[in-house]
Amino acid sequence: MARKPRQQRAKATVNAIIEASFIAMAEHGPAATTTRQIADIAGVGVGSLYEYFDNKEQIFQVMGERFVADTIALIHPLIPTLVRKPMKDAVRELLQHFRDFLQEDDERYLKCARHAMTLGFEEHMEPLQKALSELVTQYLMHHPETLKIRNIPTMSYIMINGGIFAVVRHLSDPAPPISFDELVEGLATMVGHYTEQEMALAEASASDGQ
């Protein structure tokens, strides 16, 4: 940021610029979005925009930080409920909440998620990965029998990121071959079957060792 806002009015201006950036990016895409478009939507002069941001790339960076922060704010309140549910039910509920989150405010986050790589959102994903790891850890604590699953960090990473990509891809498809409910049920079943299989293998191995 060219200058960090300190006064309330300055913070409001920066917030208006970020909100306008989501609108402009959703309408034009990252490459075609300009600081002039952003300033016009925000109702500020281009000069005022450049007081806080050197270029649109800096604005995209703050957008990425906000996207991650808002996603974490979605997850944290759900953790106490999710960790007490069976695995498949927890997966279903989390993905449904994520769908609703992406579709809020005229799908602004969904439209941004489609351009996540271009916008550099991946640079800000570490806090989100930590929040998801916390969810997994607390789930394991509430369901100690699942600690028998092998390669928990690896499989959690694959399943979580695969699920996120599948949801974004499905919601971005104007004519998806399956319904969203079918997608969620398929992902929940996949996770559930893997968990059940791993626990059965662990129990069989323990029996053989006796």
Side-chain angles (χ1 to χ4, degrees), residues 9 12-21 23 35-49:
R9 182 177 177 181
T13 298
V14 168
N15 187 63
I17 292 170
I18 299 304
E19 293 296 318
S21 300
I23 296 171
T35 52
R36 168 64 69 181
Q37 293 165 350
I38 294 170
D40 287 346
I41 295 171
V44 301
V46 175
S48 295
L49 183 150

Side-chain angles (χ1 to χ4, degrees), residues 70-88:
D70 286 352
T71 306
I72 293 171
L74 163 75
I75 294 169
H76 273 157
L78 297 175
I79 290 178
T81 300
L82 294 177
V83 298
R84 289 174 170 79
K85 291 179 175 287
M87 180 74 75
K88 290 175 66 174

Side-chain angles (χ1 to χ4, degrees), residues 3-4 7 13 18 20 28 49 51 68 105 122-123 140-141 162 164 188 194 196 201 210:
R3 179 165 70 87
K4 188 173 182 178
Q7 296 183 347
T13 298
I18 299 304
H28 303 289
L49 183 150
E51 287 183 26
V68 169
D105 298 323
E122 71 278 4
E123 297 177 8
L140 295 172
M141 291 172 62
I164 290 173
Y194 175 78
E196 292 165 4
L201 286 172
Q210 290 179 353

Side-chain angles (χ1 to χ4, degrees), residues 14 37 61 75 81 97 107-108 112 149-150 159 166 210:
V14 168
Q37 293 165 350
Q61 180 179 354
I75 294 169
T81 300
H97 277 285
E107 299 186 339
R108 78 169 184 179
C112 288
I149 299 173
R150 297 170 297 175
M159 291 179 178
Q210 290 179 353

